[in-house]
Structures are given as C-alpha cells and as structure tokens.
Amino acid sequence: MGFNVAIDGPAGAGKSTIAKLVAKETGFIYVDTGAMYRALAVHFINEGLDGEDVSAIEEACKRASVSIRYEDGVQKVLLNGEDVSTLIRQENVGNMASKSSTVPKVREKLLELQRNLAAQEDVIMDGRDIGTNILPKAEVKIYLTASVSTRAKRRFDELTEKGVQCNYDDICHDIEDRDYRDMNRETAPLKQAEDAILIDSSDMTISEVVSKIMTYIEKKR
C-alpha cells in the first residue's frame, strides 16, 4: 500500500516545482498529472481539434497513449511512444489542456493509470483534483496557491528567461481565465479538499514551501 501526497492548486502556483523537490526529499515517485493532460492536449492540437469540440476530443482519445518514465531521475512524458516533455510546456498546450480536461473521457483515460500507480507505490501527485477526486484518501493533502499577480510574474520571468516574447497583462488575463474554467468546470472542479492544508506561497521561497510540506509528511509517516 503506497503512501500518497496530493498537491492541488491553480495554474502557476508552483505545484510541479514543489512536488518534484518533495519527491526528491522523500524518495517518492513524482506523478505529474498535468503533464499527462498536456500530452493529450498535444495530441489534440496535432489533430487540429477545437478544444470545445467534445465529440472529436472523445474520439481522438482512442488514438492516444500517454505514459511516464524516468531516465537518470528525469521524467519523460511519452505520447504514442514519442517524448513530448518539451512540447507540453508551451502556452497553447496549457490552454488546450485546461479546456480538454473538462471532457469526462479525457479524465477517464488517465484516471486508472494514476490510481493504480498510487496504490502500489509511495507517490506525490499534483494537479487540480488530486485530493478531492483522484486520491481522496491521500495521507497528506496540500492546496498550494498564490495571488494572480505573483503567478503571472513567475510565468513572465520564466518565459523571458527562455527568450520568449510575452506580455505581463496578457499572462494575468490568461491565468484569470484558466482559474475560472478550472474552478467552474462540471467535472471535478478545482477546489480545496476539506482536509487539505492551505499554503499560500505568494511571500514564500521555494525552500520554505518544501520545508513546510515535509513537516506535514513526517508527522504522518
């Protein structure tokens, strides 16, 4: 029986960064559910689909296979056997993932894989509905958030460092739109689980957030 840590929160809250560091500290397997949804989003984009076309997305799911593997401790996300780890971080892919993840068939496709892994291994999983839906019995649940301005600044700095031209106001608007979609979607909306610990990282360093989460894990182990 695995020990499970669930980290939920809105886009840009730093869930993946924090989850990877906590996984390294604990030796747990890190399962990036967002990366899995983004991999499917790459598939939908490659097929030229509209994120609002539910029937086309459901049909396209049948032609997609997503898996995660580790090479020298580095996560690789595979779409139909091809490494798409770099592609999934593009902005248009994130937007498609936010839209397509509301489609029940998309969630069903990945849910069984995620739960089976968590049942067998010690895992840390991050996403939008881990503690409320995917791993409702997780030993530790964290709801990680930050202000819209903080999340937008982080994303702006990240893109700028990569040499990508971007606009701070546009990023703010995009984050607000994604928050609304994620929190108001019909299937498994983003919300804080009743037994989740709220951590607002707006004025915290990465190491401070990791340390705080480690304290909760050590209490439960």
Side-chain angles (χ1 to χ4, degrees), residues 130-142:
I130 310 303
T132 54
N133 182 51
I134 297 176
L135 301 179
K137 295 183 179 179
E139 283 78 3
V140 175
K141 298 179 185 179
I142 303 294

Side-chain angles (χ1 to χ4, degrees), residues 5-215:
V5 179
I7 299 182
D8 290 309
K15 299 183 300 295
S16 297
T17 298
I18 297 300
K20 289 174 186 175
L21 291 171
V22 173
K24 188 175 181 179
E25 287 279 332
T26 57
F28 290 7
I29 293 173
Y30 168 60
V31 182
D32 184 350
T33 60
M36 298 172 78
Y37 281 104
R38 282 170 175 261
L40 278 181
V42 171
H43 176 64
F44 301 145
I45 290 171
N46 287 345
E47 295 212 350
L49 303 185
D50 182 334
E52 310 292 342
D53 192 339
V54 175
S55 60
I57 285 175
E58 289 181 340
E59 187 63 29
C61 279
K62 300 175 183 178
R63 300 186 291 275
S65 173
V66 176
S67 60
I68 290 178
R69 73 180 184 209
Y70 285 82
E71 294 180 1
D72 299 323
V74 178
Q75 176 183 269
K76 300 291 184 181
V77 184
L78 307 179
L79 170 63
N80 294 330
E82 179 185 352
D83 184 356
V84 293
S85 304
T86 302
L87 288 176
I88 63 173
R89 297 306 169 192
Q90 295 179 356
E91 204 72 10
N92 65 325
V93 173
N95 287 327
M96 172 63 86
S98 180
K99 294 176 182 177
S100 60
S101 65
T102 64
V103 179
K105 288 292 183 184
V106 171
R107 308 186 73 77
E108 288 173 16
K109 182 152 187 89
L110 300 176
L111 183 58
E112 185 177 1
L113 171 64
Q114 294 162 358
R115 283 181 173 165
N116 286 344
L117 183 58
Q120 298 167 17
E121 306 283 351
D122 295 336
V123 304
I124 179 163
M125 200 177 291
D126 73 279
R128 302 288 193 276
D129 65 337
I130 310 303
T132 54
N133 182 51
I134 297 176
L135 301 179
K137 295 183 179 179
E139 283 78 3
V140 175
K141 298 179 185 179
I142 303 294
Y143 189 84
L144 181 64
T145 189
S147 66
V148 170
S149 59
T150 297
R151 289 184 279 144
K153 179 66 164 55
R154 289 171 181 170
R155 185 60 176 159
F156 178 83
D157 290 344
E158 179 186 355
L159 292 172
T160 301
E161 286 177 12
K162 293 179 180 178
V164 178
Q165 291 290 328
C166 56
N167 180 278
Y168 172 80
D169 290 335
D170 288 344
I171 294 173
C172 275
H173 181 68
D174 182 55
I175 286 175
E176 289 172 341
D177 283 349
R178 289 172 67 178
D179 282 355
Y180 181 82
R181 286 197 302 269
D182 290 342
M183 292 176 181
N184 291 278
R185 66 192 184 194
E186 207 170 301
T187 304
L190 167 65
K191 62 181 179 179
Q192 181 179 342
E194 290 184 3
D195 53 346
I197 300 153
L198 174 65
I199 298 179
D200 187 326
S201 68
S202 298
D203 298 312
M204 297 174 70
T205 64
I206 290 174
S207 61
E208 286 173 341
V209 176
V210 170
S211 178
K212 191 166 188 177
I213 293 175
M214 285 299 300
T215 299

